[in-house]
Amino acid sequence: MKSEMLSKVVALAEEVGHVLVATADAAGLPHVASAGRLTLAPDGRVLLAEWFCPGTMSNLQQNRRIALVVWNADTDTGYQLLGKVEQVRDLAILDGYAPEQEDESPPPQVERELLVRVDKILDFSHAPHSDVVE
């Protein structure tokens, strides 16, 4: 049942093209980011890949809990995955120096993949909903 639901979530993520990622630091201060690729791992976990911003990665060093939201605003259908990041793997490293960006906020330098154990799957919509576990 859970793998069937995760397949639906991944299919919706492919359709909408992004996943919202919520993390919090050790004190509970939240941070929301966006990621582009959500896939199923062979063992029922999910993989999330992106050039994650430093805020997301800093939070995950302090607090491995994560919420992923996949939502189609046009149909108001979606899912919220609640879980824990079990592994962080570097996929690619930006190799280059851009002196013109020294004074600006530089882009993330490492593309990473998060292996997430999903503990709960909830419906997500703009409409009132109950947060009942699927």
Side-chain angles (χ1 to χ4, degrees):
M1 177 69 165
K2 185 176 177 182
S3 63
E4 188 177 302
M5 285 300 298
L6 287 174
S7 293
K8 287 182 181 181
V9 174
V10 168
L12 184 59
E14 289 175 7
E15 178 185 323
V16 299
H18 64 275
V19 177
L20 296 176
V21 180
T23 59
D25 65 14
L29 184 66
H31 175 75
V32 176
S34 180
R37 293 190 326 255
L38 182 68
T39 58
L40 282 175
D43 58 4
R45 296 179 287 182
V46 295
L47 296 165
L48 185 67
E50 189 57 75
W51 295 83
F52 290 106
C53 62
T56 296
M57 298 315 300
S58 175
N59 283 355
L60 289 174
Q61 289 176 355
Q62 302 171 47
N63 179 356
R64 294 289 196 156
R65 302 300 298 172
I66 194 166
L68 309 176
V69 173
V70 179
W71 179 53
N72 182 328
D74 293 335
T75 62
D76 194 26
T77 57
Y79 303 96
Q80 181 177 192
L81 308 179
L82 304 177
K84 186 174 184 179
V85 174
E86 294 187 332
Q87 182 181 17
V88 177
R89 186 169 68 108
D90 293 350
L91 297 179
I93 298 174
L94 187 62
D95 184 18
Y97 174 65
E100 66 277 3
Q101 289 187 351
E102 252 183 25
D103 295 331
E104 301 172 14
S105 177
Q109 301 292 304
V110 180
E111 180 183 24
R112 293 186 169 97
E113 180 179 71
L114 310 179
L115 178 63
V116 179
R117 181 192 74 231
V118 177
D119 298 323
K120 294 181 182 180
I121 303 172
L122 307 173
D123 282 333
F124 184 90
S125 68
H126 179 72
H129 55 279
S130 66
D131 285 339
V132 173
V133 176
E134 291 294 320

